[in-house]
Every structure is written in C-alpha cells, then in structure tokens.
C-alpha cells in the first residue's frame, strides 16, 4: 500500500469521524482530470467537427436540478449505444465547460480493468476520472454480473449509507486495491452513472444495436430508490475513430458530423414497474427464507458461492448485495433481467427511429444467441460474422 493510501486509511479510522467530503487533494485532482478532459473533448467536437444535438437543453436542466447533492432525491442513470472508443469522454464535451470542472455533478462509468487499471499511474488517473474497474469475462477470470464494480455502481445510484465502509479501499481481484467512491457517502449522494450495455464498441453501418448485457438490469432493478433513467443515442463518433482506419491509427479523424440525442427521463413505473414488482417480490421471498450466500473463491469466469440457511428468515440485505443463489442465477431472476435489458434497448432504438434517417432495426440483433457465431473470435478487434460490423473489445 502506498503512503497516500495509508494516509487516507488513517483519515477513515474509527478513532475520528468520517470526512463529509474527499480531501482537498483528491478534489483538485478529480477536478483537473475531469475538467481538462472535458476541455479537450469540447475543443475537438466543436472546433474540428460538426455537432448536432437533440434534447441537450432538457438534459442540462436535469443536471442543474442535481447540482446540490443535498437536494437530490434519487440517482441518475444514463444509458447509450457504444460506437467508438471516443464515446466517453468525448460526448460529455457537449456540456458547457463549467460542468466539466464540477466532478460531483458528472458521471461515473465503468472502464476495462486490464486497460484503465493496469498500473498505479493509470489506476490513479481513472479513479480520479470517476471510472470504476470492470473485468471483461473474455479477458479476466474476475468478470461477470456480480463483480465489485456493479456493487459500487448500484450504491452510487442509491441512498447514501449512514456510515462509510470499513475500509476506503476495495478489491476486484483479491490482490488489487481500489479507492472506493463510497467513503464519503453524503458527497456521493445519489450520483450519476453512465453505462454502455452493449459491452463493446459496435460499429454497424446503419448504427444498429447489439443485445444489451444484464448489468444494466441490475442497476435499474436494485438501486434504491429507483433512479432517473435517461436513454441516449450516439452517431458519428465511429467516423472519428473507425476501427478499420489506416495510418495514423492513434489520431482521431476530423471534419465529421457527430449527432447525440438525449431522451427525456423515462417513466419508470410505465417502463419497468411490473418487472420491478416481480423482482421485489422475488427478493422478499428469498429474504424470508433466510438464505444467504458469500463468495468464497473464483474459478474461470465464475464466482464460487457458499450458501447457508440460518432458518430464521430475518436476513438483512445491503443495497447491491444479492443474498441467495436464486437471486443471482435463478430462472425467474434471469427472465426479469433479460426483459429489463430488452426494454432498455428498445428505448434507445426509439430515439434512433425518431431521427428518421436509419433503416428499421434488425429484431434478431436484440437476442444474445444471434451473436454466438462470434464467440470463437480470439482477437479483441474483429469484423462480426453476424452483421459485418467492426467490433472492438479492447
């Protein structure tokens, strides 16, 4: 553990009350990283490309209403398609600069552990850039639906804990040490989280969408209270950073048109209410049984779960913690997640359709089994056998 980590750990010791805000050093680092990144993104978008937005003013009003963490009543979850490695952070360059230097009202997102957290320098940069380390199952034995970054994201969206975690650090592998954003619960009150549920860069010729992975369903179902959900549709960044671009590959292309559509806040009850009710009932039944589980180890891509039953039916479940095998992998839990992800994908396709310039979406693309023919692809970058799209899992 570094000296800086040791100092932060001492600050969180039981002998002194938890700080209401991160240290000045942490806030300055985060502001500079987020601010400068936002400045570069904005200059690139507006200085070298043509930008078209729909719904941005409405989205800014939503962010302005959340400027004071004490006045927030729920988290904010934004969800979009993923067409380029530049999508995040470039699309946030659409926001005026004064947003960029206020990290407390900017997004948290998930980033590949093997890229963003592969060494101490990268880990510090992306942690202060409000990125949570996500393991991809194709590249790591620690990936999957129940990894620590999902718990962190759910709790960022949820009501703050009355007390910080026992340690300001958490581990995703058993050996790494990641600074938790939850160590200052009031400062992180009802945060904003952005996700790309396709789970990889998908450059389809007509900007169609792949199926959505189930992580987005966990965020929608398990956050307490249910978050405000805003769908987004991105088009054009794939032309700035096409996967089949030639030399120089490291430079984004200019003179392109980037279009971003921000939807309104979804009516949660109308969109997911029936599924949320089913999920809550499933949780209630499992909690009443008194079943609890804990992860005791890892096999390739699979958490090894030990299940106990104390029989008293009074089990307590923390937000983001699934306390039974049925809630993790049971048939009903899987069915609910599939339908939540399908409906969320449908909301983004609706934004795509409203633009009136794209062909009708291919229905089969929304099913996971459609893409199984690509499972044998070993490379991180390849052309899909399903639709000829350029894929980047890097």
């Amino acid at each position: 553990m570094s000296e800086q980590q040791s100092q932060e750990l001492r600050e969180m010791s039981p002998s002194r009350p938890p700080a209401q805000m991160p240290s000045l050093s942490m806030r300055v680092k985060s502001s500079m990283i987020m601010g400068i990144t936002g400045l570069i993104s904005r200059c690139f978008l507006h200085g070298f490309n043509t930008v078209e937005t729909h719904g941005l003013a409405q989205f800014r009003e939503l962010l302005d209403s959340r400027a004071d963490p004490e006045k927030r009543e729920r988290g904010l979850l934004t969800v979009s398609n993923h067409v380029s490695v530049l999508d995040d952070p470039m699309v946030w360059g659409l926001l005026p600069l004064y947003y960029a230097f206020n990290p407390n009202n900017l997004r948290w997102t998930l980033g590949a552990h093997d890229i963003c957290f592969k060494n101490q320098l990268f880990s510090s940069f992306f942690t202060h850039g409000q990125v949570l380390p996500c393991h991809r199952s194709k590249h790591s034995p620690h990936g999957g639906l129940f990894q620590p970054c999902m718990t962190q994201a759910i709790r960022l969206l949820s009501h703050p804990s009355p007390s910080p975690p026992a340690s300001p650090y958490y581990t995703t592998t058993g050996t790494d040490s990641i600074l938790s954003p939850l160590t200052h619960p009031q400062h992180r009150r009802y945060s904003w989280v952005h996700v790309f549920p396709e789970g990889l860069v998908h450059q389809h010729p007509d900007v169609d969408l792949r199926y959505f992975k189930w992580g987005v369903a966990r965020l929608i179902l398990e956050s307490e209270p249910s978050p405000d959900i805003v769908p987004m549709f991105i088009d054009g960044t794939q032309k700035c950073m096409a996967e089949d671009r030639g030399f120089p590959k490291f430079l984004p292309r200019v003179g392109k048109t980037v279009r971003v559509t921000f939807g309104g806040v979804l009516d949660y009850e109308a969109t997911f209410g029936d599924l949320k009710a089913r999920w809550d009932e499933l949780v209630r039944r499992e909690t009443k049984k008194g079943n609890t589980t804990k992860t005791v180890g890892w096999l390739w891509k699979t958490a090894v779960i030990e299940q106990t039953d104390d029989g008293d039916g009074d089990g307590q479940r923390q937000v983001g913690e699934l306390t039974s095998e049925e809630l993790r992998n049971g048939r009903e839990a899987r069915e609910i997640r599939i339908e939540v992800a399908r409906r969320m994908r449908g909301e983004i396709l609706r934004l795509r359709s409203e633009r009136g310039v794209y062909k009708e979406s291919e229905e089969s693309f929304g099913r996971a089994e459609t893409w199984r023919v690509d499972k044998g692809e070993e490379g991180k970058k390849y052309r899909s056998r399903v639709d000829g799209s350029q894929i980047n899992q890097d």
Side-chain angles (χ1 to χ4, degrees), residues 33-53 56 59-60 63 85-101 105-107 192 194 196 232 234 237 258-260 262:
I33 288 173
M34 301 287 279
I36 292 174
T37 302
L39 174 62
I40 294 171
S41 298
R42 187 168 180 81
C43 288
F44 177 77
L45 277 176
H46 292 277
F48 298 95
N49 298 279
T50 300
V51 176
E52 296 179 9
T53 63
L56 178 58
F59 183 68
R60 286 177 55 188
L63 291 185
V85 293
L86 295 179
D87 288 343
D88 190 302
M90 194 165 78
V91 295
W92 309 126
L94 296 170
L95 298 172
L97 277 180
Y98 61 84
Y99 290 95
F101 287 91
N105 201 25
L106 286 177
R107 65 94 190 100
W192 167 17
H194 181 83
F196 301 99
M232 294 171 53
I234 302 170
T237 55
V258 176
R259 301 180 179 90
V260 181
F262 296 84

Side-chain angles (χ1 to χ4, degrees), residues 153-216:
I154 291 168
R155 292 178 180 174
L156 279 170
L157 288 168
S158 301
H159 55 72
S161 170
S163 59
S167 169
Y169 295 92
Y170 68 99
T171 181
T172 68
T173 63
T175 58
D176 64 354
S177 181
I178 309 296
L179 181 63
S180 171
L182 304 173
T183 53
H184 305 92
Q186 294 303 320
H187 185 66
R188 306 300 189 197
R189 179 184 177 89
Y190 298 131
S191 293
W192 167 17
V193 174
H194 181 83
V195 291
F196 301 99
E198 289 174 290
L200 45 72
V201 170
H202 177 224
Q203 296 186 345
H204 183 271
D206 205 39
V207 206
D208 208 342
L209 278 63
R210 287 168 55 101
Y211 76 100
F212 277 12
K213 296 188 176 182
W214 299 350
V216 69

Side-chain angles (χ1 to χ4, degrees), residues 127-330:
T127 295
H128 288 97
Q130 300 190 170
V131 177
L132 301 172
C134 180
H135 291 268
R136 284 92 57 84
S137 294
K138 188 169 183 177
H139 310 299
S140 169
H142 304 291
L145 189 58
F146 308 107
Q147 57 182 299
C149 71
M150 294 302 303
T151 302
Q152 297 285 314
I154 291 168
R155 292 178 180 174
L156 279 170
L157 288 168
S158 301
H159 55 72
S161 170
S163 59
S167 169
Y169 295 92
Y170 68 99
T171 181
T172 68
T173 63
T175 58
D176 64 354
S177 181
I178 309 296
L179 181 63
S180 171
L182 304 173
T183 53
H184 305 92
Q186 294 303 320
H187 185 66
R188 306 300 189 197
R189 179 184 177 89
Y190 298 131
S191 293
W192 167 17
V193 174
H194 181 83
V195 291
F196 301 99
E198 289 174 290
L200 45 72
V201 170
H202 177 224
Q203 296 186 345
H204 183 271
D206 205 39
V207 206
D208 208 342
L209 278 63
R210 287 168 55 101
Y211 76 100
F212 277 12
K213 296 188 176 182
W214 299 350
V216 69
R218 287 201 63 195
L219 299 177
I220 291 170
L221 293 170
E222 297 180 43
S223 300
E224 296 292 348
S226 302
D228 286 333
I229 303 171
V230 174
M232 294 171 53
F233 178 69
I234 302 170
D235 181 18
T237 55
Q238 75 275 20
K239 297 174 183 177
C240 297
M241 211 68 170
E243 288 303 317
D244 58 355
R245 64 192 179 277
F247 179 83
K249 291 185 69 68
F250 63 91
L251 285 179
R253 295 347 186 215
V254 299
K256 309 302 181 182
T257 298
V258 176
R259 301 180 179 90
V260 181
T261 301
F262 296 84
V265 175
L266 296 182
D267 182 331
Y268 187 97
E269 186 60 30
T271 310
F272 303 110
D274 59 325
L275 298 171
K276 174 66 171 173
R278 284 180 62 191
W279 174 257
D280 287 346
E281 174 60 21
L282 180 61
V283 170
R284 188 194 66 78
R285 292 200 309 267
E286 289 302 306
T287 302
K288 187 175 182 180
K289 290 178 184 178
N291 291 334
T292 59
T293 63
K294 61 180 180 179
T295 301
V296 296
W298 288 85
L299 294 176
W300 178 250
K301 301 183 182 180
T302 306
V304 180
I305 303 299
E306 179 181 274
Q307 180 160 309
T308 61
D309 185 355
D310 58 16
D312 61 8
D314 63 354
Q316 298 296 314
R317 184 180 67 91
Q318 295 185 30
V319 173
E321 178 182 273
L322 297 182
T323 55
S324 78
E325 179 63 16
E326 185 64 27
L327 293 178
R328 287 173 172 255
N329 299 308

Side-chain angles (χ1 to χ4, degrees), residues 108-129:
W108 286 82
T109 193
L110 279 57
H113 184 280
D114 55 304
I115 298 174
C116 302
F117 294 82
K118 64 180 181 181
N119 58 47
Q120 188 172 349
L121 178 62
F122 278 29
S123 180
S124 177
F125 178 87
F126 285 102
T127 295
H128 288 97

Side-chain angles (χ1 to χ4, degrees), residues 1 4-13 166-169:
M1 181 179 295
Q4 180 184 356
Q5 290 177 329
S6 299
Q7 175 62 30
E8 290 167 348
L9 186 58
R10 287 193 292 272
E11 291 177 0
M12 292 299 299
S13 66
S167 169
Y169 295 92

